[in-house]
Structure formats: structure tokens, C-alpha cells
Amino acid sequence: MDRVLCPGEHGEENGSVMEHKTIPWHIFPVLSDQQSQGVELVLAYAVPILDKKKTSRLVKEISAVYPLEGQQHLKRVRACTDKASPHPLEMLICLAKPGKEKAEGLHTLSELLPDKQVDCCGLGEPFLVRVPAHPPLTRMQFEEAKFHWPTAFHEDKYVTSALTGHLFSKEEKVKMQTYMKQAIWAAQQGAAKGLKAIGAVVVDPATETVLAVGHDCRRASNPLLHATMVCIDLVAQGQGRGTYNFKSYPACTALPLGNRDPSASKAIRAGTVRKFESRDDGLPYICTGYELYITSEPCVMCAMALVHSRIQRVFYGTASPDGALGTKYKIHTRQDLNHRFEVFRGILEDQCCSLTEDS
Amino acid sequence: GRRPDRRRRCGCFGAGKQRPSRIQSPVHPPSGCSPGNSSRRPPTFRRQLSSDRLSASLSLSSPSVSWASGCQRGMEETPAAALTARGVSVSSEEREAWMERAMHMAKEALENGEVPVGCLMVYNNEVLAKGRNEVNQTKNATRHAEMVAIDQVLEWCHRYGKSPTEVFEHTVLYVTVEPCIMCAAALRLMKIPLVVYGCQNERFGGCGSVLDISSADLPNTGTPFKCIPGYQAEEAVEMLKTFYKQENPNAPKSKVRKKESHKC
């Protein structure tokens, strides 16, 4: 079942001979801190409901006093977790101030609920519980949160399928592998010239076209030509502009505009795949809608360059020590920047990892 | 259904909005480095316009805007004059004179319909580079003024047979706006010791406004650098505001604007 076709690598093509290989890597979404962290808990007061019939009246009255506005994700009533308990239900009253763990600091029912507003008949004495401070964003967080207190969960199916590894079909993974192999090939070409073994490929997913292939070109004469920066400039060169001259690096190539499949570009205009704004010349803004495949995680400079270039997705093989798309920062998830994008780690991780180890 | 699709288009797994991840650092003007302006808080330039429109145009342009916070950390506050940062020493008179020139460059850019950001790289009292934003002309969104200036210095090194490492380690950057996150990382990689700038860049700033790359612990990303913010910050902000009152025709249209234009 796991056997898939693996198209020949760029540079060592031998036509009809196709290798049969399994996909020996896993793809991991690099989520925001809010999505990937554990569930934060806060202390709250709950009370046993001794008389089940009074539940709806009590919920109404107590909600009027303590609307729990910041905690809309918490359900007000839960079935008692202890089966042997004499009371069937428990109700949340309000959040407790921190430092209330000691028994002598506990509020009594009459302190929490002033007589006039709530008829406390049918309630037991309050006790402290830990409840989730924020709404769960992922299924894993939901599973953890509801263990402490029942919560509402508006599942984002897209994130769930990303986390469970079901976001991409086998066919898509084969394509990813092909693109990453091209990036690895570029890295090897760079390494053969004494450069850092990092390679990258820019793909237009709408047309499945490789727009640029590049490798790290940093030397003393230009220390900032990281593979990402090279690829961003190569995309610009494909549009007839750009800044640098990569003539001495034949592995760094851009697909010129004229060489693009015209039927593919027609498909873009007819379809609904591209909702983003095209420029007057019909081209998207810089790298809008494009994907970057890179053998190792981009640094801060490159990650922010990708924000400025409006990349849509980044796939990298292996993490970097100062990486900015997961390791040290998650620049792609920041709400305070004007563009966010998706990042996935792990494509051909072993091969990508051995590239950096060799150099 | 619809939600995943929409998310896919705007990317990013719909990160939760309920917990802002913004780093907030207090804004304190460093004493003694902003003569005549030290009692006032240098202004910030942010979201006076539709945020999308502003950001689109700003990133299309150069670094951007406002005034610093985290990056003064570790700066010696010599009230008198000379400030020493790893291999460079500049007096406050020098700083003011160079910033004056950077501001003048920004003004010129504004008059010519360009993003009003000026930057100078000064080595041994000599201007090695005058950066100007080249994003539109190169269709490369990374061609911010600082990146352009770095390339000019590298070219100068090449022409005069100097070692870039030696030169950059003794070069001061004067820029009218706080460098963005990308440029701040690039400046670290080049091991520039000192950056003097005008207003804070609230949208993309890499010296404390959004992230503090200038002083972060990143052992594999060059060396940290010192910042002196607040030089003629108000003027720098005013120029940017003037520029962005007109639209940047090269920036992608924001969703807000598209909706507005449909209504009309």
C-alpha cells in the first residue's frame, strides 16, 4: 500500500526508468503557539446541584450574576464525574482569584451568591475546580480541556486533518517529494561549488509549475544570498526584473514568463483557485499564491522576506538552530504582521538533514 | 465546507485571535541621545489608514516606521557625546549630522514619489552607501533601502579590495525608520555594530516594535547590534503619512478596499 512511484531526480534522469519507493517521511504542520501549546487552567468555583429539577432556574439566575463573559467556551453544568456521588450535576459559578487553594480562603455559598438575586435552595457548598482558560483550538487541546471541565469546541477540520496527517493525498505527497528532490539536487550543486548545502524551489501550485530553482550562494562577497533570498530574486527574474546575477551558478534558474504553459494560465483565469489580486500585467504580487520547498528551515531574514513576498506555503525538510518558522520564532503565524502563511516540516527530512550534516 | 477553503487561501491554519501574541515592550527614549527631543515620546506611525493598505504599501516599500523600545537595552548611556558600540564610536554631533542627511534623502524621495525612507552606511566618516527602496523596480519585495545599502557597501569593498567583515564591523547605519525584521536580521548577519534611526516601525519593526531581533539570543545569526532611536522621529512619520495618503499603486489591494469599491 505504501509503495508509490517516485519520479527520477533532476539531473540524473534516465527516462523511462521509474524507481519504486515508499514515502519514508512524515509531514508536520508548524502551528502557532496558541494552537500547539497545552491547555492553560484557571481556578473556578463550582457547586453541586442537589435538586436536579431546579437546574434551569439556577443556571438562569447564576448566569445573570456571573455571566462568565471571557469564558464563553465553558459549559455551565456538567454531570458529576464521580458516579458514587449523591448529587447528579455540578454547576460553574465564577472564576476564583488565584491563591484560593487553601481551605480558609474559600468563599461560602452565601458569600458568592447574594440572597436577593439567587435562591440558593437546591445547591450544596462550593468547591474549587480547574477549568480551561481559553477555548480549545485543536482536537488535542479539546480532548485535554474537556477532561477538566466540559467546553465547547468549534473544530477547524482543516487543522485537524493537518494534524492527523490527512491533509495531503498520496499523490500530493509524491509531488511534494519531487519538488523537494529538486531542492536537494540544487543543494548538492551548490555544495559541489563549496557553498552551503541548502537548496530551494518555488512552485506555482495552480499550474504545478516550478518557477525557480536555487541554492545557497552565500560567500564573503555576498553573505546574504541565502537560498530563500536567491529564489525570491529568481522569481523576480522570471518576471523580467530581479537584482542579482547568478550566471556563475548554473543550478540557479528561473522559468521565464514566455515559457509558461499558456493553457495552464488560462485555467487560472477561468477557475476560482486564485482569488488574490492580480496586478495589471496579470501577474500576482511578487510570490502571492506560490509555494517554497526548501531543504532546511529559513532564518529570521528569510522568513520575513517570505512575509514581504506574500508566499502561500513553505515546506521544509529539517529544522535549523536559529530557524524562524518553528524553532526560534513562528513568524508565519504572527497576528501582528500583515501576512500569514502555512508551514510544514518533515518532507524528506532524513535526506535534508544529512545535507546539512555533511557541510 | 467553506471555512477550511477560506483559511487555505489566507494561509496559516486560522491562528486563534483570542490571545494576542504581540510582544509589548515599554517605550523609553534613551536619555541623552535625542537632543532637543528627549522629553517627548517620538511618534509612531501605524494604522492611521486602513491597516491592510498601509501594510501592503509599507512592505512594498522600505523598512518602515516609528520608534524604538527593546533595542536600547545594553546601550551605555553616556550623557556627554561619544557612544561606543563594538568597534565604532560616534559623537552625538556626528549622529545628528548624518541623520540630517538621511532625512534629507527621505525628503527627496518623497518629492519624487518614492517611499520616503533614507539610509546611509558610514565607515570611517565616509558614506559608503545611500540606500533607497527598490521593491517596485526589481519586483523583489526584499529590496528595502538597508538591503540595497548593504549591497553597495559590498560592492565598495570589492572595488577597493577591502574585507567586508572588517568594514561592516566598523560601519554605522543611519536610517529614518526602524529597520524591519528582515533587515534587522540582515544587519546582524553583516555584524553591523550600531544603528541610528528615526521613527519606530510599528508594523514590521525588528528592533523592538514587533520583534527584537537586534538584541535577541540568536547564536547562529550574526551578532546583536545597538540601536539609538528617535532622531527627528516626528518628521520621519510625517513624511510617511504624506506618502501613504496617496495610494501605492504597486501594492496588492486590500479586501477592505475591494469591498468599498464594490459598494460605490
Side-chain angles (χ1 to χ4, degrees), chain A residues 118-155:
Chain A
V118 181
D119 175 6
C120 291
C121 173
L123 290 177
E125 270 309 304
F127 59 96
L128 285 170
V129 282
R130 288 182 189 279
V131 298
H134 309 285
L137 298 171
T138 64
R139 184 154 281 281
M140 267 149 70
Q141 286 178 340
F142 173 61
E143 297 295 332
E144 194 187 332
K146 75 177 185 188
F147 175 78
H148 296 280
W149 191 271
T151 59
F153 177 43
H154 301 288
E155 184 175 15

Side-chain angles (χ1 to χ4, degrees), chain A residues 304 331 334-340, chain B residues 181 203-204 210:
Chain A
M304 193 60 193
I331 283 181
R334 293 191 68 95
Q335 293 291 327
D336 49 3
L337 293 175
N338 66 337
H339 177 69
R340 280 158 294 283
Chain B
I181 292 168
R203 292 289 282 162
F204 306 109
V210 177

Side-chain angles (χ1 to χ4, degrees), chain A residues 268-295:
Chain A
I268 300 170
R269 283 195 196 104
T272 53
V273 190
R274 293 232 168 141
K275 286 283 184 195
F276 54 79
E277 193 66 26
S278 286
R279 295 153 53 101
D280 291 342
D281 50 11
L283 290 171
Y285 176 77
I286 320 271
C287 294
T288 310
Y290 297 164
E291 296 177 344
L292 176 79
Y293 287 79
I294 182 160
T295 54

Side-chain angles (χ1 to χ4, degrees), chain A residues 34-35 37 134-135 156 233 236 239 241-244 281 285 304 308 310 321-322 329 334 336 338 342, chain B residues 7 12-13 16 19 22 55-56 59-60 137-141 143-144 151 180 182 204 211 216 218 220-221:
Chain A
Q34 293 100 303
Q35 289 169 314
Q37 71 202 357
H134 309 285
D156 183 334
D233 200 59
Q239 302 182 356
R241 303 291 179 86
T243 302
Y244 297 102
D281 50 11
Y285 176 77
M304 193 60 193
H308 287 316
R310 312 288 205 275
D322 276 357
Y329 300 98
R334 293 191 68 95
D336 49 3
N338 66 337
E342 293 178 4
Chain B
R7 274 159 204 263
C12 73
F13 310 113
R19 273 169 282 171
R22 179 165 187 82
S55 52
S59 79
L60 223 217
Q137 136 198 4
T138 60
K139 293 198 183 188
N140 177 336
R143 300 306 289 163
H144 287 191
D151 282 348
C180 81
M182 172 188 72
F204 306 109
L211 287 174
L218 295 165
N220 300 287
T221 311

Side-chain angles (χ1 to χ4, degrees), chain B residues 3 10 23 29 36 41 56 63 67 70 118 122 126 149 156 160 164 171 186 190 194 212 214 229 241:
Chain B
R3 255 161 68 118
C10 54
I23 290 176
R41 236 173 92 151
W67 131 259
V122 179
E126 187 184 344
W156 183 90
Y160 295 100
T171 293
M190 301 313 300
L194 179 63
D212 190 356
S214 55
K241 277 191 199 167

Side-chain angles (χ1 to χ4, degrees), chain A residues 278-355:
Chain A
S278 286
R279 295 153 53 101
D280 291 342
D281 50 11
L283 290 171
Y285 176 77
I286 320 271
C287 294
T288 310
Y290 297 164
E291 296 177 344
L292 176 79
Y293 287 79
I294 182 160
T295 54
S296 57
E297 184 187 356
C299 71
V300 175
M301 173 183 70
C302 294
M304 193 60 193
L306 292 166
V307 171
H308 287 316
S309 303
R310 312 288 205 275
I311 200 91
Q312 178 170 278
R313 275 175 171 170
V314 172
F315 299 89
Y316 64 82
T318 179
S320 307
D322 276 357
L325 299 180
T327 303
K328 283 282 170 80
Y329 300 98
K330 290 174 175 176
I331 283 181
H332 62 294
T333 69
R334 293 191 68 95
Q335 293 291 327
D336 49 3
L337 293 175
N338 66 337
H339 177 69
R340 280 158 294 283
F341 52 90
E342 293 178 4
V343 173
F344 298 88
R345 174 178 63 82
I347 298 92
L348 287 176
E349 185 161 19
D350 291 347
Q351 288 188 48
C352 292
C353 195
S354 54
L355 274 177

Side-chain angles (χ1 to χ4, degrees), chain B residues 203-231:
Chain B
R203 292 289 282 162
F204 306 109
C207 304
S209 292
V210 177
L211 287 174
D212 190 356
I213 301 302
S214 55
S215 72
D217 177 29
L218 295 165
N220 300 287
T221 311
T223 53
F225 57 87
K226 286 178 184 175
C227 296
I228 312 177
Y231 271 82

